[in-house]
């Protein structure tokens, strides 16, 4: 933001529009080529992934349901729907757990913590992002699941009248709530890092003005920081959601997944996610089953794309009146 | 335009990646005997249940035959059978023999036109019913009770049906968490087959690689996942290869009034009490398992090597005879028992497999 503010308002007359490659300035053209190439590459990769999923998945998508039942995993739409639900449901739960904590940590680092503490804390959070998911999976299944089981028993005993906590509590603790906690831990650093950066960008003048008008620190954050940061927060949440949707290994190891749609959080019967289903079944799959799993991957691709597009749309819509400018 | 070469390079890279992706379906030609320096390669594809044993066999076999390379990819039984049928693998590892409709001369691309396939049992592994119940160290269960537990019909550890066979045990008034495999597996297939054969009144579903979804219960990924879920949970029960059970209790299954532990002897005995599938060639050792015989531990996984009667390429035939012959030999079976905890084939059966392999051309 600061660079933006300090940049001289009048453009350098020598620079000119970059499109006209000046023969005396080859660097301009080379850089432009590199940047455009990189932009095209990402589109090409995306298109290739999509076409791979389409081509390899289409035999299952267009197969006769009877044939799918005998050689695959069963009729496609009804087969994939519980998994699609599980994917979105687990990711939403993870967001619900992670977002308040992440924003809290980010605010603490940017506005509350003494500078001496803030910096190391920031590093630690970033470090958490570097832990591989298989380690989170191991931790989730070996440590977290047995540890939270008594808590689940208590939740079920006292709050069992709420449908979320109803049902027979799993004897191993490997439920969708445990998976969501693991996912939340995994997406926490991403959301925190981005939010912290955005909070630090909040215009100093606005903050000081709020304080000068007699606002408390919390009121200042509410008036000057959060409105400014809202698009950034949403973008951070969407990035976290993207990771939660696609996470495979940790869910595979932690979740006791089955093929059903339920909102109960504490039972053995949890809707599995698409990514975990593919990971579990691909090693032994062959023929039409492979196609069907890849087609499920296509569904996941579409879900992720839709989520990201919605996020982009929200950010673009909000950017105009973010309150900062 | 400067961007062209870069974009082109990106396209080429991406296309190569995409093509490489397609090419993974094509396994390299089986039994490639490219005689460069006399080195030979034998390719097998199949059951992941044999993985640990195959790794041991390959290591031992290649030590003895340094000029032969054996590749076994544990892609699963189904993948192994289709690779063998397509001629992409010289032999297949499969947790079930080929069915009658899959057999037949000329159906196998790697075999001679008039050649049928042979199913040879090479790997036997008992499937243990593992449990983790505090204070219970000895558990004997009727097949009907095992079926009832995994079908979600018996839900408490102090159910009268469990107490009946365990009069001395302190069974808690706790809910049973039954853990099954989340992934498709031959272990599930043989376990569900056992329940279907021994307790058809409770378990009507036929054998299947996928655990029946209607029965509920907890799912875990792979043998290690099941063992770990049972170990980490409380009042849990599951099924896994006996060798993977670790320190967990292994329930005895009561057959004809006798409780049987999943020992190697009780498991290997199943093939001595079973008949080969009717209507097959004399040397085909496909068994239809009789899980109800006296003194036989019923939940057993028998994994096969599927080979040609006559190979198109006689060099491949020699390699297969050597390698599969080693697998089924006393040495090979002992090696598998030590590395994978399998139950060695009885010596009578070892001799039968040898006779069958001797007929391979």
């Amino acid at each position: 933001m600061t660079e933006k503010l300090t940049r001289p308002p009048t453009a350098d007359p020598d620079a000119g529009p970059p499109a006209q490659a000046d023969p005396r300035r080859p660097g301009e053209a080379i850089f432009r080529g590199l940047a455009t190439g990189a932009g095209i590459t990402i589109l090409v990769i995306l298109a290739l992934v999509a076409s791979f999923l389409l081509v390899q998945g289409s035999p299952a998508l267009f197969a006769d349901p009877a044939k799918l039942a005998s050689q695959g995993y069963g009729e496609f739409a009804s087969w994939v729907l519980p998994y699609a639900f599980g994917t979105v449901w687990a990711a939403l739960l993870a967001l619900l757990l992670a977002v308040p904590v992440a924003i809290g940590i980010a605010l603490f680092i940017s506005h509350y913590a003494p500078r001496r503490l803030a910096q190391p804390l920031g590093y630690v959070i970033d470090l958490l992002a570097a832990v591989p998911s298989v380690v989170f999976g191991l931790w989730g299944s070996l440590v977290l699941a047995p540890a939270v089981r008594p808590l689940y028993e208590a939740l079920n005993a006292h709050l069992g009248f709420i449908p979320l906590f109803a049902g027979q509590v799993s004897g191993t603790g490997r439920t969708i709530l445990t998976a969501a906690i693991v996912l939340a831990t995994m997406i926490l650093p991403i959301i925190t890092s981005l939010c912290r950066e955005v909070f630090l960008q909040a215009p100093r003048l606005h903050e000081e003005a709020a304080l000068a008008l007699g606002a408390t620190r919390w009121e200042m954050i509410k008036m000057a920081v959060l409105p400014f940061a809202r698009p950034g927060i949403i973008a951070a949440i969407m990035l976290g959601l993207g990771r939660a949707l696609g996470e495979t290994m940790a869910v595979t190891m932690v979740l006791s997944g089955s093929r059903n749609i339920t909102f109960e959080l504490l039972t053995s019967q949890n809707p599995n996610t698409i990514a975990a289903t593919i990971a579990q079944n691909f090693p032994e799959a062959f023929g039409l089953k492979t196609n069907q799993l890849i087609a499920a991957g296509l569904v996941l691709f579409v879900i992720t794309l839709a989520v990201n597009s919605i996020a982009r749309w929200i950010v673009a819509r909000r950017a105009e009146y973010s309150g900062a400018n | 335009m400067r961007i062209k070469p870069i974009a082109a390079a990106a396209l080429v890279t991406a296309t190569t990646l995409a093509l490489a992706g397609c090419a993974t379906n094509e396994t390299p030609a089986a039994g490639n005997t490219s005689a460069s320096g006399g080195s030979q390669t034998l390719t097998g594809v199949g059951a992941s249940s044999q993985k640990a044993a195959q790794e041991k066999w390959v290591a031992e076999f290649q030590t003895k035959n340094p000029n032969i390379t054996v590749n076994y990819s544990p892609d699963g039984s189904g993948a192994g059978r289709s690779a063998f049928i397509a001629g992409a693998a010289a032999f297949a590892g499969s947790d079930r023999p080929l069915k009658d409709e899959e057999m037949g001369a000329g159906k196998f691309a790697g075999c001679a036109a008039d050649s049928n396939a042979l199913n040879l049992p090479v790997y036997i592994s008992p499937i243990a019913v593992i449990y983790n119940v505090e204070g219970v160290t000895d558990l004997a269960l009727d097949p009907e009770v095992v079926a009832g537990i995994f079908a979600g019909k018996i839900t408490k550890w102090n159910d009268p049906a469990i107490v009946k066979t365990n009069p001395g045990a302190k069974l808690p008034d706790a809910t049973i968490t039954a853990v099954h495999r989340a992934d498709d597996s031959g272990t599930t297939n043989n376990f569900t087959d056992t329940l279907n054969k021994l307790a058809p009144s409770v378990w009507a579903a036929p054998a299947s690689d996928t655990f029946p979804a209607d029965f509920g219960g907890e799912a875990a990924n792979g043998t290690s996942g099941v063992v770990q879920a049972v170990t980490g949970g409380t009042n849990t029960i599951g099924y896994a290869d006996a060798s993977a059970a670790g320190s967990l209790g292994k329930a005895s299954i009561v057959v004809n009034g006798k409780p049987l532990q999943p020992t190697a002897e009780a498991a290997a005995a199943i093939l001595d009490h079973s008949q080969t599938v009717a209507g097959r060639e004399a040397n085909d050792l496909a068994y239809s398992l009789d899980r109800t015989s006296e003194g036989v531990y019923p939940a057993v996984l028998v994994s096969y090597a599927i080979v040609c009667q006559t190979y198109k390429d006689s060099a491949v035939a020699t390699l297969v005879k050597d390698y599969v012959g080693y697998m089924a030999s006393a040495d090979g079976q002992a090696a598998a028992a030590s590395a994978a905890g399998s139950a060695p084939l009885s010596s009578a059966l070892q001799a039968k497999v040898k006779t069958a392999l001797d007929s391979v051309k």
Side-chain angles (χ1 to χ4, degrees), chain B residues 183-204:
Chain B
D183 48 332
D184 289 1
S185 88
T187 308
T188 301
N189 190 310
N190 281 281
F191 186 70
T192 51
D193 185 50
T194 306
L195 298 181
N196 177 245
K197 293 275 160 58
L198 272 72
S201 57
V202 188
W203 195 279

Side-chain angles (χ1 to χ4, degrees), chain A:
Chain A
M1 212 67 216
T2 38
E3 304 95 283
K4 204 173 174 185
L5 289 174
T6 51
R7 191 186 296 151
T10 49
D12 182 1
D14 286 350
Q20 267 81 60
D22 189 333
R24 288 167 302 169
R25 294 199 163 188
E28 197 67 40
I30 289 171
F31 185 75
R32 179 169 178 273
L34 279 173
T36 317
I40 290 172
T41 308
I42 194 69
L43 281 179
V44 168
I45 290 173
L46 204 66
L48 281 172
V49 169
S51 59
F52 154 74
L53 288 171
L54 261 175
V55 169
Q56 298 264 315
S58 58
L61 286 174
F62 302 117
D64 179 28
K67 201 177 163 202
L68 263 189
S70 62
Q71 291 171 33
Y73 298 103
E75 204 262 314
F76 186 74
S78 64
W79 172 80
V80 83
L81 189 70
Y83 297 139
F85 167 78
T87 307
V88 177
W89 178 228
L92 279 180
L93 285 172
L95 274 191
L96 228 57
L97 294 170
V99 168
V101 181
I103 292 180
I105 298 173
L107 274 180
F108 176 74
I109 292 175
S110 66
H111 284 82
Y112 284 93
R115 179 162 299 207
R116 197 175 286 178
L117 185 63
Q119 210 150 29
L121 201 60
Y123 287 140
V124 170
I125 296 286
D126 288 346
L127 204 66
L128 204 58
V131 177
S133 57
V134 66
V135 174
F136 276 110
L138 279 175
W139 168 73
S141 60
L142 291 173
V143 179
L144 184 68
V148 292
R149 208 185 59 78
L151 183 77
Y152 291 172
E153 298 268 6
L155 271 177
N156 179 255
H158 301 297
L159 295 172
F161 58 87
I162 303 172
L164 284 179
F165 303 125
Q168 175 61 51
V169 177
S170 158
T172 62
R174 296 165 63 255
T175 75
I176 196 148
L177 188 54
T178 312
I181 296 172
V182 173
L183 283 178
T185 321
M186 297 176 69
I187 62 177
L188 191 68
I190 301 175
I191 304 180
T192 307
S193 287
L194 281 166
C195 284
R196 187 192 58 198
E197 288 307 314
V198 183
F199 293 158
L200 286 172
Q201 304 280 318
R204 197 86 203 134
L205 280 176
H206 291 203
E207 293 179 11
E208 280 167 11
L211 290 172
L213 285 170
T216 62
R217 189 170 279 212
W218 162 235
E219 284 168 338
M220 177 272 282
I221 287 171
K222 217 164 51 172
M223 286 189 296
V225 179
L226 290 183
F228 171 83
R230 193 176 297 144
I233 296 175
I234 292 172
I237 291 173
M238 289 303 155
L239 265 181
L241 181 60
R243 171 140 200 222
L245 283 174
E247 177 48 42
T248 309
M249 206 55 220
V251 179
T252 306
M253 295 169 78
V254 172
L255 185 66
S256 159
S258 58
R259 217 184 78 208
N260 64 340
I261 296 181
T262 172
F263 288 98
E264 289 175 359
L265 298 179
L266 309 177
T267 64
S268 292
Q269 297 277 297
N270 306 286
N272 210 351
T273 69
I274 291 180
T277 304
I278 297 175
Q280 279 166 353
N281 291 311
F282 202 80
E284 296 270 327
F286 64 100
L288 209 53
K289 288 189 173 182
T290 312
N291 299 126
Q292 191 161 0
L293 289 174
I294 294 173
L298 182 67
V299 173
L300 179 61
F301 185 79
V302 170
I303 292 175
T304 318
L305 212 64
V307 164
N308 273 312
S309 311
I310 293 169
R312 290 273 150 209
W313 178 70
I314 291 175
V315 172
R317 210 171 54 110
R318 295 271 182 175
E320 295 148 23
Y321 50 95
S322 65
N325 336 323

